[in-house]
Amino acid sequence: MKKYSRQREALLTELRGRYDHPTAEDLYFSLRAIMPNYSLGTVYRNLADLSAEGIILKITSGYGPERYDGNIKPHGHFTCKKCGKVYDLAGFYEKHIDGQKMVEELQKSEAAKDISTINEIRIMLYGTCKNC
Amino acid sequence: MKKYSRQREALLTELRGRYDHPTAEDLYFSLRAIMPNYSLGTVYRNLADLSAEGIILKITSGYGPERYDGNIKPHGHFTCKKCGKVYDLAGFYEKHIDGQKMVEELQKSEAAKDISTINEIRIMLYGTCKNC
DNA sequence: CTGCATGCAAAAACTTTGCACCGCC
DNA sequence: GGCGGTGCAAAGTTTTTGCATGCAG
């Protein structure tokens, strides 16, 4: 069982209160404003724990540092290759992705020889954003 | 126009000759065996150039360093969260992903307000592999 | 009190870059 | 010959970790 901590709680609240897919450093600065001794190591440790538990989402784009999302409802993302910013693709999953079917088909396919379990599907589109 | 170099040529040959999604370091060691002065900086520079030009694929999983793929035909990947290894999902794209339709629908959707151009779609599944 | 979480700083992991030299065009 | 690519090493960026201390259970 996981032990409660004010730091983890504050991190979760902060992340859930914003919709800009912050980096660890973004969160660090925000949290420092509230809890002046909040350390960067703790940000990273809590982000790693929370995302491993599936309580938050880690967003990996390959353009800049990792970003995090408090919204764990499956949804697609778009990354701007110029500025690295990540945008939500609302409604995209519902329209285009049938996770259950994908997993079922994979289990029947040749790829099944390598795969033991599947627990996450990420979809990332790339291009340039309107601000760039 | 891009100038020819033995190093870039060898990198491309090496990458196209293997199907294990090597990291920059993997390629560095392989290339060193053939060209003893091949430097890691050059590996990174050529990987960056080639992937920016779309001649090779950069595979970002978020579990370990970037990996690269000489096969640029669109295809899905699977990452093992334990060992970081990446596997191809053959036939997955054809069966599940209609890139053109995705882009068209996105242009009509609310997400279009942020997006200027789209030029890549990546899909990554996660879980554990048979070897772990 | 006991042990997991934190703060802080050092270190690790990965990637980029400055500069002198080399080799393609 | 000129300019872009390379080799090497140093530096940059991002993330992880060791250890003493603090706080939840």
Side-chain angles (χ1 to χ4, degrees):
Chain A
M1 179 49 190
K2 208 136 202 68
K3 190 188 281 188
Y4 169 88
S5 88
R6 288 170 54 239
Q7 286 83 345
R8 185 204 311 283
E9 190 64 30
L11 172 48
L12 202 46
T13 302
E14 172 66 22
L15 187 53
R16 285 180 174 160
R18 53 198 285 178
Y19 301 91
D20 60 344
H21 311 102
T23 64
E25 204 189 13
D26 292 337
L27 291 165
Y28 172 65
F29 286 129
S30 298
L31 290 164
R32 273 249 154 185
I34 309 165
M35 300 168 66
N37 293 317
Y38 209 124
S39 81
L40 190 53
T42 296
V43 173
Y44 274 107
R45 272 184 292 237
N46 279 325
L47 287 172
D49 291 350
L50 290 167
S51 60
E53 294 165 41
I55 296 172
I56 65 172
L57 233 52
K58 182 164 95 160
I59 306 172
T60 305
S61 73
Y63 290 81
E66 302 285 316
R67 292 168 175 274
Y68 297 87
D69 198 333
N71 172 19
I72 57 174
K73 184 181 161 212
H75 60 289
H77 289 107
F78 172 85
T79 298
C80 175
K81 286 187 178 178
K82 282 210 180 116
C83 68
K85 210 171 289 174
V86 171
Y87 299 89
D88 284 323
L89 300 182
F92 187 86
Y93 242 74
E94 296 78 346
K95 192 165 289 175
H96 298 285
I97 309 290
D98 184 342
Q100 193 173 341
K101 186 179 164 207
M102 285 179 178
V103 171
E104 278 170 17
E105 300 260 11
L106 270 177
Q107 280 162 349
K108 285 187 284 182
S109 80
E110 211 228 331
K113 73 175 189 309
D114 299 318
I115 298 174
S116 176
T117 61
I118 299 173
N119 55 45
E120 196 181 347
I121 300 176
R122 295 188 201 165
I123 185 151
M124 183 65 83
L125 308 208
Y126 293 87
T128 51
C129 76
K130 284 264 167 78
N131 304 313
C132 285
Chain B
M1 181 46 190
K2 207 136 202 66
K3 190 189 280 187
Y4 169 88
S5 88
R6 288 172 54 241
Q7 286 85 343
R8 183 203 311 281
E9 190 65 29
L11 171 49
L12 202 46
T13 303
E14 173 66 22
L15 186 54
R16 284 179 175 160
R18 54 198 286 179
Y19 302 91
D20 61 342
H21 310 101
T23 64
E25 204 189 15
D26 292 337
L27 291 165
Y28 171 65
F29 286 128
S30 298
L31 290 164
R32 274 247 155 187
I34 309 165
M35 301 168 65
N37 293 318
Y38 209 123
S39 80
L40 190 53
T42 296
V43 174
Y44 275 107
R45 271 184 293 238
N46 279 326
L47 288 172
D49 290 351
L50 290 167
S51 59
E53 293 166 40
I55 295 170
I56 64 172
L57 232 53
K58 182 165 95 160
I59 306 173
T60 304
S61 73
Y63 290 80
E66 302 285 316
R67 292 168 175 275
Y68 297 87
D69 198 334
N71 172 20
I72 57 173
K73 184 180 161 214
H75 61 289
H77 289 106
F78 172 85
T79 297
C80 176
K81 286 186 180 180
K82 283 211 179 114
C83 68
K85 211 171 290 175
V86 171
Y87 299 90
D88 284 322
L89 300 182
F92 187 85
Y93 242 74
E94 296 77 347
K95 191 165 292 176
H96 298 286
I97 309 291
D98 184 340
Q100 194 174 341
K101 186 180 163 206
M102 285 178 178
V103 172
E104 277 169 18
E105 300 260 11
L106 270 178
Q107 281 161 348
K108 285 187 285 182
S109 81
E110 210 228 331
K113 73 177 190 307
D114 299 318
I115 298 173
S116 173
T117 61
I118 299 173
N119 56 45
E120 196 179 346
I121 300 176
R122 296 188 200 165
I123 185 150
M124 183 65 83
L125 308 208
Y126 293 88
T128 52
C129 75
K130 284 264 168 77
N131 304 313
C132 284

